[in-house]
Amino acid sequence: TGRDRASLYVDPAALMRADLNAWPRSDRSHMNLGLVLESQEDYAGAARHYELARGRPDRANWRPVIGLARLKMRAGDEAGAVALAADALRRVFSVDGAPDLPLLVNTLTPSFRSAGRLQAALPLLRSAEATGLHQRFLTQTIRVVTAETRGLGSVDGEFLHESQADPLDRIN
């Protein structure tokens, strides 16, 4: 009933589990439960549900893969996190035009930043930039990440060049 469902909103994990009971093969429900468990610092539980949400390697479902990468990064496994993030990028690029690329980058970057390993995102961002898709967005993101990890002096030349061509960059 509606009243029973409303009582579940008190406990987000119970709500997500109820969704899984109703639809056990739902990737989205597994992903949502993984996010809830991660926020509750149940990293092992989150990882189990991200794995269930990930699905086959040929699917474009990149969100749970980034969730797993975030957990690996949090645990100090930088190589494992980078490998998973590369898989997430491959999944995004499996769709023509990679429309989810900005969203993936905006999920990956803070995930690596929060783990104190933002520099590990640079090679991934540069490989994405090499595809030519979402070029301006990726160039700006790389500039920000480079400045943050290597200091502002490392991007002075790029910033000066861009500011001459773009009034918004000049103002910034």
Side-chain angles (χ1 to χ4, degrees), residues 104-114 118 121 125 141 145 148:
L104 178 138
V105 167
N106 286 334
T107 304
L108 169 81
T109 305
S111 294
F112 280 33
R113 180 182 288 118
S114 69
L118 182 57
L125 295 171
T141 302
V145 170
E148 193 172 330

Side-chain angles (χ1 to χ4, degrees), residues 27 42 46 63 71 91 93 108 117 142 148 158-159:
D27 293 349
D42 177 359
R63 286 171 180 83
L71 293 176
R91 289 170 183 244
F93 284 115
L108 169 81
R117 293 181 172 84
I142 290 169
E148 193 172 330
E158 285 179 53
F159 185 73

Side-chain angles (χ1 to χ4, degrees), residues 81-167:
V82 168
L84 284 165
D87 179 41
L89 276 171
R90 183 194 54 74
R91 289 170 183 244
V92 164
F93 284 115
S94 73
V95 176
D96 286 339
D100 280 357
L101 183 60
L103 184 56
L104 178 138
V105 167
N106 286 334
T107 304
L108 169 81
T109 305
S111 294
F112 280 33
R113 180 182 288 118
S114 69
R117 293 181 172 84
L118 182 57
Q119 74 285 352
L122 276 171
L124 296 164
L125 295 171
R126 286 195 179 105
S127 69
E129 182 187 38
T131 67
L133 296 170
H134 304 279
Q135 191 72 45
R136 182 161 172 76
F137 168 76
L138 285 166
T139 299
Q140 289 176 338
T141 302
I142 290 169
R143 189 177 306 128
V144 168
V145 170
T146 301
E148 193 172 330
T149 58
R150 297 185 183 154
L152 287 173
S154 64
V155 295
D156 277 349
E158 285 179 53
F159 185 73
L160 182 60
H161 175 73
E162 283 295 314
S163 69
Q164 292 169 352
D166 185 341

Side-chain angles (χ1 to χ4, degrees), residues 31 50 60-68 70 88 100 103-104 107:
M31 179 67 195
Y50 289 153
N61 191 9
W62 59 269
R63 286 171 180 83
V65 180
I66 288 295
L68 288 166
R70 188 172 48 249
D100 280 357
L103 184 56
L104 178 138
T107 304

Side-chain angles (χ1 to χ4, degrees), residues 1-20:
T1 67
R3 178 197 248 147
D4 294 333
R5 178 95 174 153
S7 69
L8 290 174
Y9 283 93
V10 174
D11 180 2
L15 178 63
M16 295 303 121
R17 284 187 180 97
D19 287 348
L20 275 170

